[in-house]
Amino acid sequence: MTAHVIVTDEAATRVVRLRRPEKKNAITQEMFRAISDAIDKAQNNPKIRCLIITGGSGVFTAGNDIEDLLAQGTSTGETPPASDLVKLLYSLAHNVKPIIAAVDGVAMGIGTTMLFHCDYVLASKTALFSTPFSNFGLVPEGASSLLMPRTMGHQRAFAMLVMGRTMSADDARVAGFVNTVVAPGHAEVEAHKVAREICALPAEAVAISRRLIRLPPEDVTRRIEQENHLFSERMRSTEAIGAFKAFMARTKA
């Protein structure tokens, strides 16, 4: 476990908190492993009825840690780039417990795409969703090319995944991937209320109903694999290398 991911079991709910505020909760490979581990270990624990993923107050996550991503993406070893991210995505795809996301502030890249694996999403008025893959010469990840059009239609998905358009909390609610918009600083508190509501329901009925309304895990993991192959290729492309160099130059200026 890493100090940047805090996992606590509160009654029947497992809470996974991202805690790297100095980097806007940018997720490293170590953090991906910790989140994945927290989800995996909840699967066969009957005491855990649902999970909450939160970044705390003010920020959800700025997405992949860029330096970490570049180190993975330019590796010449046999391990596929972003393999720990893929491990998390597999954990999300095969998870059988309801997941609630509490989003307060920016949710960039994987911070947005992971929400489509969640069952209930609360966002504060300050939440801002962004998937700027094309801006970096990359392609969608997280099975987002499958799940986002299914949830909010081709046109909205195109605007986000291809054009890199941002979306506000209110627009995300209209688009269908945010359930409730709350006041800033209240997303996690409200998430606990939703968790208690879910935990009060008959567990087997919840599990069966959830399975019926979701795509089969095999469909999701198939798209994860396809995207990851293309994402890995794009990380080595001239477009991506140039975009990342320009980004790093701006951040150090």
Side-chain angles (χ1 to χ4, degrees):
M1 197 60 66
T2 169
H4 293 142
V5 176
I6 308 301
V7 180
T8 56
D9 293 341
E10 303 175 20
T13 301
R14 173 157 294 180
V15 182
V16 182
R17 292 184 178 89
L18 306 181
R19 191 177 71 177
R20 199 185 178 207
E22 72 281 5
K23 294 290 186 179
K24 296 184 179 179
N25 289 342
I27 308 176
T28 63
Q29 297 300 307
E30 183 183 24
M31 292 170 69
F32 282 128
R33 288 194 298 272
I35 301 166
S36 177
D37 188 59
I39 294 170
D40 291 345
K41 288 182 176 178
Q43 300 307 295
N44 296 317
N45 185 344
K47 294 181 180 179
I48 303 300
R49 295 284 307 278
C50 69
L51 300 96
I52 293 174
I53 299 178
T54 178
S57 182
V59 63
F60 187 57
T61 173
N64 259 291
D65 181 277
I66 295 297
E67 292 185 5
D68 215 36
L69 177 63
L70 287 173
Q72 288 283 320
T74 57
S75 172
T76 57
E78 294 182 359
T79 303
S83 59
D84 291 307
L85 166 57
V86 173
K87 183 179 186 301
L88 169 60
L89 296 173
Y90 268 72
S91 295
L92 289 168
H94 290 288
N95 164 65
V96 298
K97 305 288 179 85
I99 298 185
I100 303 162
V103 182
D104 191 6
V106 65
M108 185 173 289
I110 184 64
T112 290
T113 58
M114 75 164 68
L115 302 178
F116 291 84
H117 296 270
C118 297
D119 302 288
Y120 199 101
V121 179
L122 298 103
S124 75
K125 277 281 188 180
T126 61
L128 193 65
F129 305 92
S130 175
T131 54
F133 301 118
S134 295
N135 302 65
F136 287 99
L138 301 174
V139 295
E141 40 82 328
S144 57
S145 62
L146 172 68
L147 300 176
M148 286 179 72
R150 183 174 185 262
T151 300
M152 58 185 187
H154 171 84
Q155 287 78 11
R156 286 192 179 103
F158 183 90
M160 287 198 74
L161 290 174
V162 180
M163 299 176 70
R165 295 270 184 90
T166 58
M167 188 175 285
S168 68
D170 287 327
D171 287 342
R173 185 181 60 79
V174 172
F177 70 92
V178 164
N179 294 79
T180 308
V181 178
V182 300
H186 287 71
E188 188 173 333
V189 172
E190 295 300 320
H192 279 279
K193 293 180 183 179
V194 174
R196 288 192 290 271
E197 182 181 349
I198 293 171
C199 291
L201 297 169
E204 289 187 15
V206 169
I208 294 169
S209 299
R210 181 183 184 276
R211 186 168 66 247
L212 286 170
I213 65 177
R214 297 185 70 86
L215 285 174
E218 303 79 36
D219 292 355
V220 178
T221 55
R222 190 179 304 116
R223 184 59 63 92
I224 289 170
E225 291 172 1
Q226 181 184 9
E227 289 175 346
N228 185 53
H229 174 73
L230 295 169
F231 194 97
S232 301
E233 288 185 342
R234 293 301 304 167
M235 282 296 297
R236 294 175 170 83
S237 70
T238 302
E239 284 184 339
I241 291 170
F244 278 113
K245 284 182 178 178
F247 175 80
M248 297 303 288
R250 289 196 301 272
T251 58
K252 293 177 181 178

